[in-house]
Amino acid sequence: MADAKAYDLKAVGASFCIYGDFLAGGRYGSGHINDTFAITYDQAGTKIRYILQRINHNIFKNPVAVMENIQRVTAHLGAKMAGKPEGSRHILTLVPARDGRPYFQDAAGNTWRCYLFIEKATTYDIITGVEQARKAAGSFGAFQGLLVDLPGRLHETIPNFHNTESRFEALEKAIAADAAGRAKLCQPEIEFALKHKHLASALLDLQRKGLVPERVTHNDTKLNNVMLDDATGEGICVIDLDTVMPGLALHDFGDMIRTATSPAAEDEQDLSKVTMRMPYFEALVQGYLSTAGSFLNQTEKDNLALGGQILTFECGIRFLADFLAGDVYFKVHKENHNLHRCRTQFKLAADIGAKLDAMNALVKTLDKK
Ligand code: ADP
Ligand code: GN1
Ligand code: MG
């Protein structure tokens, strides 16, 4: 496992402007990158939870830049939501550190941040119904829409994050290096990746031709990065803002297809369960066009399905490269975890590829409505 360390959560929590007495803290959520904890305080007789996160600085090399982005983004969203009911359930709210900064750096060099805990809402690792797809896509589209007029350009917190060609080059290097001696365990996956190398250029070609514009995008729109209200099922808050930076709308929509159309977990070992379900895709398109349809251009709309194929392939080659490197990037919890993850992604990417024409035809009919 990448990090099984125990931290003194009470001491870290004491570095933030939190009232009351520390009661308890423990790991929370199922993210692959940061260390996330829920910490609970007694505030004059009421139990209040916060989210405390240690930014993974092996991956985010400049955590201060990450926090500058998040502060700008949440302030921009906050200004637009001012006065609306339950505003603090719809936008992440940073709790400042005691020195007034939006983060705290401990003696060991870790960067921590603290958010208000959004209660009565849930994130889902596996989708449980088509309405969730519609609501999630609506939320991510609205998020992009609210950031269309964000002044200035955000820091690129991970350069070339969705540059699929660079991701492919990294895979080729990982195959050549075979640092963990695992290439023999994943020959069919390596062959699949090499055979589909052309996919790495598909979105970049659209961008190079000037057909799809750079936008402020989330870049990590997996289903479990949006909170859905427990009572109404509505998408209430987009979370995990570390990668909000310049990107393509198709990256965001593509990752929704990757994570919200298949009934299988990302690490499912029974690949027969992995499939792109058309009704879920339809709900994603409807939800997304309802909030993003007004600002997307025609090429973006025409390539929504392609985004899914490319982002799923990209994620697969990232898991494969990390498997080959010896699990240095994504947290792993079982043997060959990254290889299992890679297999689901390649199965799904192939399924999307086979259904691409039908998906494109569906988008055309939905776009006209
Ligand atoms: P990672 O980058 O590791 O994926 P996230 O920021 O997505 O970290 O957080 C991990 C999980 O913690 C989320 O999937 C969600 O369930 C939960 N979470 C994060 N922020 C909040 C919040 N403000 N309120 C409630 N739950 C949260
Ligand atoms: C990571 O942080 P998390 O778990 O939401 C990764 C995404 C991948 C995803 C695959 C910063 O997302 O890019 O698509 O895992 N985040 C980063 O599940 O690399
Ligand atoms: Mg997350």
Side-chain angles (χ1 to χ4, degrees):
M1 194 183 300
D3 191 312
K5 238 171 130 178
Y7 294 98
D8 185 348
L9 299 179
K10 186 175 176 182
V12 178
S15 307
F16 288 91
C17 294
I18 301 176
Y19 296 109
D21 303 309
F22 179 90
L23 291 177
R27 286 191 178 264
Y28 196 79
S30 54
H32 296 341
I33 305 296
N34 293 314
D35 287 321
T36 302
F37 306 89
I39 49 174
T40 309
Y41 288 75
D42 177 289
Q43 293 181 351
T46 302
K47 282 187 187 174
I48 305 282
R49 293 199 282 181
Y50 295 85
I51 286 284
L52 193 61
Q53 285 182 317
R54 186 190 74 90
I55 300 175
N56 184 333
H57 55 248
N58 293 326
I59 289 175
F60 295 101
K61 307 278 184 211
N62 186 349
V64 173
V66 170
M67 294 314 298
E68 276 175 19
N69 276 4
I70 293 181
Q71 210 176 19
R72 281 173 63 191
V73 165
T74 53
H76 190 80
L77 299 174
K80 294 199 174 180
M81 292 298 292
K84 303 230 165 95
E86 292 205 328
S88 65
R89 287 184 78 235
H90 288 83
I91 299 159
L92 283 176
T93 306
L94 282 164
V95 178
R98 296 220 177 256
D99 62 6
R101 289 189 296 183
Y103 56 86
F104 161 69
Q105 282 178 317
D106 69 19
N110 295 304
T111 305
W112 295 83
R113 64 170 168 243
C114 183
Y115 287 121
L116 295 188
F117 194 106
I118 298 168
E119 298 285 358
K120 300 181 199 127
T122 304
T123 55
Y124 295 85
D125 291 340
I126 302 178
I127 195 150
T128 64
V130 282
E131 282 314 302
Q132 289 186 343
R134 194 185 317 279
K135 301 300 183 193
S139 291
F140 283 124
F143 180 85
Q144 288 177 341
L146 290 167
L147 293 173
V148 159
D149 59 349
L150 183 79
R153 195 169 188 268
L154 292 170
H155 301 292
E156 291 187 45
T157 55
I158 300 180
N160 290 320
F161 190 58
H162 284 308
N163 183 324
T164 319
E165 289 174 355
S166 322
R167 296 291 188 184
F168 200 88
E169 279 165 31
L171 172 65
E172 287 175 322
K173 283 194 184 130
I175 296 168
D178 195 16
R182 290 173 166 178
K184 57 183 179 296
L185 301 176
C186 53
Q187 281 307 310
E189 290 74 24
I190 290 175
E191 272 166 35
F192 180 94
L194 297 179
K195 192 172 153 211
H196 292 87
K197 181 174 180 176
H198 59 281
L199 291 178
S201 302
L203 298 184
L204 285 158
D205 281 345
L206 293 177
Q207 189 174 16
R208 285 188 283 250
K209 286 181 194 152
L211 296 171
V212 293
E214 177 183 290
R215 300 183 181 281
V216 179
T217 49
H218 183 282
N219 295 304
D220 190 4
T221 53
K222 65 195 226 190
L223 181 68
N224 73 11
N225 284 332
V226 59
M227 305 211 65
L228 304 180
D229 188 276
D230 290 341
T232 64
E234 291 295 322
I236 57 159
C237 187
V238 168
I239 62 168
D240 203 346
L241 306 180
D242 300 305
T243 53
V244 179
M245 58 179 159
L248 301 182
L250 296 176
H251 297 147
D252 280 2
F253 192 73
D255 215 53
M256 295 179 219
I257 301 177
R258 182 180 81 78
T259 57
T261 62
S262 171
E266 190 175 65
D267 59 358
E268 174 61 57
Q269 285 172 242
D270 177 356
L271 294 182
S272 69
K273 292 185 183 159
V274 179
T275 171
M276 199 300 300
R277 293 172 296 176
M278 207 57 93
Y280 284 73
F281 175 69
E282 181 173 6
L284 282 179
V285 174
Q286 287 169 332
Y288 190 54
L289 291 181
S290 75
T291 51
S294 59
F295 60 83
L296 293 175
N297 74 23
Q298 199 55 48
T299 308
E300 289 173 314
K301 290 180 187 170
D302 290 345
N303 286 284
L304 290 174
L306 179 71
Q309 186 188 20
I310 305 310
L311 266 283
T312 308
F313 178 67
E314 180 189 282
C315 198
I317 63 178
R318 291 176 64 196
F319 286 140
L320 184 57
D322 199 36
F323 176 69
L324 286 162
D327 309 320
V328 295
Y329 187 97
F330 298 102
K331 289 184 183 178
V332 289
H333 309 292
K334 56 185 175 190
E335 207 185 349
N336 297 338
H337 207 163
N338 275 315
L339 180 57
H340 295 312
R341 290 171 175 153
C342 162
R343 287 179 176 148
T344 60
Q345 301 308 296
F346 284 174
K347 169 84 198 286
L348 189 60
D351 196 40
I352 298 171
K355 293 171 179 163
L356 210 55
D357 289 346
M359 293 165 81
N360 285 334
L362 180 60
V363 174
K364 276 208 165 63
T365 61
L366 297 173
D367 188 24
K368 281 199 199 103
K369 281 182 190 162

